[in-house]
Amino acid sequence: MGDHKEQPLRVGAAVRRRRRSLELTLAVVAERSGLSVPFLSQIENERARPSRSSLEKVADALRTTAVELLAAADPACSVDVVRADGAEPTPAPQARSLVRGHHQMHASEFTGDHDAGREFQYRNDQLMYVADGAVEIEAEGRAYRLGRGDTLYLTGGVRHRWRATVADTRVVVVAVAEHIEAVRDRPRR
């Protein structure tokens, strides 16, 4: 009950992602598929469910298959539980995704340390929350020390790196997914 895989699929987001990755307009896909722009828009916005025949026409226009589009589709559930695996904590660094699928938000939990020299830069905003332990984060030329319960918000484009300063540190990182155009280019100060 409530299993993520039992839910119907939303193929519209997969169609939109594929179309955008090919840098095609709806008009071009309409011309190639023989379907109308309004109908394609309704598919992408989940207001219409394409028949098998229509999905195959869209797939052909996007140079893929209906099977591939269905495989890339999002589940149509509004609630999804991601359970902890129940395993005992290990001293080795670990990362696990807290959100399944291809959504507008991405969240990961990092346990232990990782490559502290690795620099990160994300297009969209992100929030780092220290669930346990402590970290040191370097961003915009400044160092920030965070302990249990502290958060750090980074706007899109900020280069940063971080490291755990205490054993068994757990950090949760929540970010707007990279495929979302959430942030316009901001002027640098």
Side-chain angles (χ1 to χ4, degrees), residues 22-49:
L22 296 172
E23 298 180 352
L24 299 175
T25 64
L26 281 173
V28 169
V29 176
E31 182 180 315
R32 288 181 180 179
S33 67
L35 302 171
S36 71
V37 170
F39 180 60
L40 291 171
S41 177
Q42 288 176 343
I43 290 171
E44 285 192 1
N45 291 301
E46 305 298 341
R47 289 191 303 260
R49 294 184 62 94

Side-chain angles (χ1 to χ4, degrees), residues 53-111:
S53 172
S54 293
L55 186 59
E56 287 173 0
K57 289 176 183 179
V58 171
D60 288 344
L62 296 174
R63 297 185 180 113
T64 189
T65 65
V67 171
E68 289 295 320
L69 288 174
L70 289 170
D74 292 337
C77 60
S78 59
V79 176
D80 186 27
V81 175
V82 177
R83 301 220 182 261
D85 61 8
E88 292 298 314
T90 64
Q94 295 181 9
R96 81 178 175 108
S97 181
L98 302 175
V99 178
R100 282 189 280 232
H102 195 78
H103 297 287
Q104 294 182 9
M105 184 176 64
H106 179 74
S108 297
E109 176 188 60
F110 296 90
T111 305

Side-chain angles (χ1 to χ4, degrees), residues 169-180:
T169 292
R170 284 188 316 125
V171 177
V172 175
V173 178
V174 180
V176 175
E178 288 292 304
H179 70 279
I180 303 295

